[in-house]
Amino acid sequence: MFEFVEITLFLLLISILFTSQLLHLVDITLDFLGAPSIMDRGRGGMLGRIPRRRNPLFRRRDVSPPNFTTSYEITPEDALEVRDILSEDRNLPPELVDMILEYAEYWACSVAVLDCADRPDGRISIRGGGQGENQFLLRTEPLGLNKWSPLSHDLWKTQSAPKSLEKEYPESNLHEFIEGPVSTLEHPFRKVVFDIVSCDQGWSSHHDDYGTYRNSFTWFDVGLERFDMNNECPPTCSDRQNSDSSSKTANIPTCAIRSVWPPVINDTSNDSAMKYKHELLPTEDHCIQRNKHAEKNMQHHHIEWSWDDNINPELPAANELEEIGRGRSTGNGEFIRNLKFGDMITVWGRARFGGWSNNVQSVKVKLYWAF
């Protein structure tokens, strides 16, 4: 009986100690609106839980792309240190330690931020009906590979060349780019959080749809990239890696990045070339968020995708996702559960048809993984 009371009191103490961390994760809005122009390395579920989630959630050719970099919030070392404190200093069983860390969401975190505050008008405007209606906005660094870094930041800030992925790197080969512990979980990636500040052109001829997400033809898609093991870095490549064994730079060049989605297809106008296949309308499984219809003021959308989400897109529960501007297949958790070490998440801005404009002020992506 005494041991049960002691464990109960200890769990209460742990909850108090983690309160500040939990409040930090909840207070997304205050943190996001004051974020600098950086790119840091850094649950959802049944329909009844949706209202309690944290609000589910190109650049122009004459302007250089906004800068973004990467660093960590909670590092893998932080997570391992806390695990050791709980298991060794307090002699708690591993199952209880896992429960505590999971409840506190004490996970390693990778963050990518695109901030347009330094642009003349403070935004990127993606206009429908032309060649610029599909805009690459940002990518996360390779998930979990905290020892990898690009040599060319110019290449890093732009979309990858449309080439087919021929051979993925085995996970064992990517471990050399991981500093700290390697997760042994089957689904180590727990959650991805998108914060998007944007709006459309502020008007349309469909007055009945004003203030809703119906017939909204400006939106954001999630993409996925991986390294190609068969890549041959040309001598002229600005990200050609140093062959010196003493170099601290990882030896996978940025030009080895290949898009898994959007898919790459043959260009019918040029038999020897490839091109991206961009869908005309939002897809159910990649649409992160539509803009609110004919809303001229910037809107902040906060969207969370979790590994344990289980909303069946074929059931009425998915209707609510569409009502808040999301793809109805983005609540089943499949995207997160299928992530691998080394994957890069991308965000694309879209606009369709003349007169429609996707005005982007900022985009932020946080990816969390456990050990």
Side-chain angles (χ1 to χ4, degrees), residues 148-154 238-242 249-250 254:
W148 185 94
S149 62
L151 286 181
S152 171
H153 289 282
D154 289 337
S238 58
D239 199 14
R240 191 169 180 81
Q241 302 295 307
N242 192 335
T249 304
T254 306

Side-chain angles (χ1 to χ4, degrees), residues 137-158:
L137 297 178
L138 64 75
R139 66 167 52 90
T140 66
E141 282 209 350
L143 303 185
L145 308 190
N146 50 350
K147 288 175 63 178
W148 185 94
S149 62
L151 286 181
S152 171
H153 289 282
D154 289 337
L155 277 180
W156 178 253
K157 292 184 293 183
T158 59

Side-chain angles (χ1 to χ4, degrees), residues 163-233:
K163 297 180 180 179
S164 298
L165 175 61
E166 297 181 4
K167 183 179 180 180
E168 295 181 20
Y169 275 82
E171 184 171 311
S172 58
N173 288 39
L174 297 175
H175 286 176
E176 64 180 288
F177 306 118
I178 299 176
E179 183 175 359
V182 178
S183 178
T184 58
L185 298 174
E186 181 181 3
H187 301 295
F189 298 101
R190 287 301 202 238
K191 180 172 65 176
V192 62
V193 178
F194 304 94
D195 281 284
I196 299 172
V197 178
S198 62
C199 66
D200 68 9
Q201 67 284 344
W203 60 272
S204 85
S205 58
H206 302 281
H207 297 282
D208 292 342
D209 295 327
Y210 277 34
T212 74
Y213 296 97
R214 299 189 304 267
N215 293 317
S216 175
F217 298 112
T218 64
W219 74 95
F220 299 87
D221 276 336
V222 67
L224 185 67
E225 297 177 329
R226 289 178 179 145
F227 288 120
D228 189 349
M229 199 170 184
N230 285 350
N231 176 71
E232 295 184 5
C233 191

Side-chain angles (χ1 to χ4, degrees), residues 308-324:
D308 59 356
D309 285 345
N310 59 359
I311 299 176
N312 188 331
E314 302 299 326
L315 297 180
N319 294 340
E320 188 163 337
L321 296 179
E322 288 191 320
E323 291 174 2
I324 57 177

Side-chain angles (χ1 to χ4, degrees), residues 1 9 14 37 82 143-144 159 168 204 226 290 302 321 358 365 368 370:
M1 180 65 179
L9 292 175
I14 290 298
S37 178
V82 171
L143 303 185
Q159 69 183 46
E168 295 181 20
S204 85
R226 289 178 179 145
R290 295 175 176 86
H302 178 79
L321 296 179
N358 189 351
V365 181
Y368 298 87

